[in-house]
Amino acid sequence: MRACPPVTDHGFMRPNHDTGRQEDTLPFRFVVNDPNSPGEVIDTMLIARFASGELPYARSRRLSQVKDHHTLLPPGAEVQRTAHGSDDRTVLATGNNWAIQSRRWRFGAQVTVVATTDEIAEQVLKQAVDGAEEEPRQEPSQVTMGFWHYSPAHGSVRTTRKISAESWTAARRNYSAPVATALDTLLATSPDDISGRLVLLHGPPGTGKTSALRTLARAWREWCQVDCVLDPERLFNDVGYLMDVAIGEEDDPVTAASSDEDPDDERPARWRLLLLEDCDELIRGGAKDAAGQALSRLLNLTDGLLGQGRNVLVGITTNEDLERLHPAVVRPGRCLARVEVGRLSHREAADWLGTAEGVPRDGATLAELYALRRGIPPSPAGPSTDPGPGLYL
């Protein structure tokens, strides 16, 4: 429906119910885009009463996650029209000095009230939507993560525990603008978006690389199982251990098909993300000589024969500069994401802290900001290159 330019004839005429004659012609007319859509006709009926001045005040509210049983109508509403579409339902109802339209679809609703006064419109709208929305679902703050290690007595061992992880909405302010933008894309990734198999977070210690991985585990938990390898230096130097980890264990194993399904059909296997923290020696430029076959096996897991048929991603954090990493690791096509996690600027750090007092002119790392919040000033010597305790965030 749209309003057309002023016309001198064929305008919308408001009936006079006392005399049966038609009164003032509006300076525009309404055109229904789809004359076969009852919902658009209902739109026209409501807007016409507003445009004509009969009900000159309007209030509107958009809702999300509406309760199934809620009518979105105030007490005493008299339903005049109802239109059911393929994925929506529109209702027009009236009362004393007001009219209301509620349009409901799969993911929400829109409620509009027109009335003789603004006070009536506000009151009717409030009555119509009161208690209509579902309580927002609280996203769990914990996620299950697996931990691999090698035991001389028991071989390859995987244990699980729940870890705390912030939502991305809460954690985003911990990162500078370009880092947050890059992580926006990474956290929004779905299985259909995966190209490379390597997720590389690099940058100084204390900048929040590990925190970002915890948030990533939370964001991907519906489709990706996250495992942390506690001894990555052994992983790529012990073929048996590597094979055990590459094959993996499922937190939620694929169950047998039900009797009404094809027994040959299986649910798609979940992806797995193996986290390797602080693997500087494994992936730096001289790794081929220093680590023997370890680098080759890592690359084979990401896009070689070892990784074929396995939905496995590898996430690596390192304090090394990008220029010092092995070119085979950072070559185009190998990385799903390659994010340099750096310091927050002075302005961003001051916004995070709520004050510029104590914030270095060149900004601060996330670890330094938490220290400042506790009253511990940054080192006078400037940013430390030694991670030290507590800087792994």
Side-chain angles (χ1 to χ4, degrees):
M1 180 188 68
R2 64 181 186 274
C4 293
V7 294
T8 56
D9 58 358
H10 303 298
F12 181 88
M13 306 296 293
R14 178 163 56 90
N16 184 313
H17 296 289
D18 295 330
T19 64
R21 67 183 180 84
Q22 293 179 321
E23 293 183 338
D24 301 334
T25 300
L26 295 179
F28 51 83
R29 60 184 176 185
F30 294 108
V31 176
V32 177
N33 292 327
D34 184 0
N36 296 318
S37 170
E40 290 208 22
V41 173
I42 290 178
D43 290 344
T44 305
M45 295 176 68
L46 183 82
I47 295 301
R49 299 185 70 177
F50 172 75
S52 69
E54 178 188 357
L55 301 174
Y57 295 90
R59 292 270 181 159
S60 185
R61 173 89 175 270
R62 192 177 185 90
L63 308 172
S64 60
Q65 300 298 328
V66 178
K67 296 176 181 176
D68 291 338
H69 67 274
H70 205 285
T71 64
L72 297 177
L73 296 175
E78 184 177 348
V79 176
Q80 303 293 336
R81 300 284 192 279
T82 301
H84 291 270
S86 59
D87 58 358
D88 66 346
R89 177 175 181 266
T90 305
V91 175
L92 177 68
T94 58
N96 187 23
N97 297 322
W98 54 266
I100 184 171
Q101 178 206 52
S102 68
R103 170 165 289 166
R104 185 169 184 162
W105 53 91
R106 183 179 177 186
F107 298 109
Q110 178 86 23
V111 180
T112 302
V113 176
V114 293
T116 53
T117 69
D118 188 51
E119 291 75 15
I120 293 176
E122 181 181 14
Q123 180 183 10
V124 171
L125 179 62
K126 182 178 180 181
Q127 292 174 340
V129 303
D130 186 39
E133 287 186 289
E134 296 278 6
E135 291 294 327
R137 295 180 181 178
Q138 296 297 324
E139 190 178 5
S141 61
Q142 292 189 321
V143 62
T144 299
M145 184 177 287
F147 292 86
W148 284 95
H149 73 280
Y150 186 85
S151 165
H154 304 288
S156 306
V157 179
R158 179 181 183 268
T159 59
T160 62
R161 60 185 288 258
K162 290 187 179 296
I163 64 167
S164 297
E166 283 189 303
S167 68
W168 179 231
T169 301
R172 195 178 192 278
R173 63 191 294 266
N174 294 336
Y175 301 93
S176 64
V179 176
T181 300
L183 292 176
D184 283 339
T185 302
L186 177 60
L187 270 73
T189 299
S190 69
D192 294 336
D193 302 324
I194 291 175
S195 51
R197 298 290 187 96
L198 188 61
V199 176
L200 179 61
L201 303 184
H202 63 99
T207 50
K209 298 185 293 295
T210 299
S211 295
L213 291 176
R214 291 203 302 267
T215 298
L216 182 68
R218 175 172 170 168
W220 285 3
R221 63 184 163 199
E222 296 298 326
W223 60 271
C224 185
Q225 173 182 304
V226 179
D227 288 351
C228 180
V229 180
L230 301 178
D231 47 3
E233 69 286 344
R234 175 159 194 148
L235 178 67
F236 295 104
N237 285 295
D238 186 325
V239 176
Y241 183 27
L242 176 60
M243 290 302 297
D244 288 342
V245 173
I247 294 172
E249 297 178 5
E250 292 285 347
D251 286 334
D252 299 308
V254 176
T255 56
S258 62
S259 58
D260 58 345
E261 294 176 336
D262 186 340
D264 294 330
D265 288 343
E266 290 185 348
R267 294 183 303 169
R270 296 180 73 198
W271 280 81
R272 295 170 55 239
L273 173 63
L274 301 180
L275 298 183
L276 315 175
E277 292 199 87
D278 305 307
C279 290
D280 300 2
E281 294 182 359
L282 179 63
I283 61 175
R284 65 164 55 116
K288 186 70 175 178
D289 298 328
Q293 292 298 313
L295 176 61
S296 297
R297 289 171 182 155
L298 166 63
L299 302 179
N300 195 271
L301 179 60
T302 57
D303 63 0
L305 292 176
L306 181 58
Q308 294 300 308
R310 305 298 303 171
N311 292 337
V312 177
L313 300 168
V314 178
I316 295 179
T317 67
T318 176
N319 298 327
E320 294 282 359
D321 292 333
L322 187 63
E323 291 77 11
R324 298 180 63 185
L325 300 183
H326 197 285
V329 175
V330 296
R331 73 160 174 80
R334 175 157 280 144
C335 290
L336 172 63
R338 190 179 67 193
V339 183
E340 181 177 5
V341 186
R343 303 163 65 83
L344 278 74
S345 68
H346 181 273
R347 179 183 58 79
E348 292 169 331
D351 289 344
W352 189 99
L353 198 61
T355 176
E357 184 177 356
V359 178
R361 285 183 296 178
D362 62 343
T365 66
L366 185 59
E368 290 170 340
L369 288 175
Y370 276 110
L372 280 169
R373 178 180 283 178
R374 296 193 302 268
I376 304 173
S379 169
S384 171
T385 58
D386 179 9
L391 284 184
Y392 289 99
L393 291 175

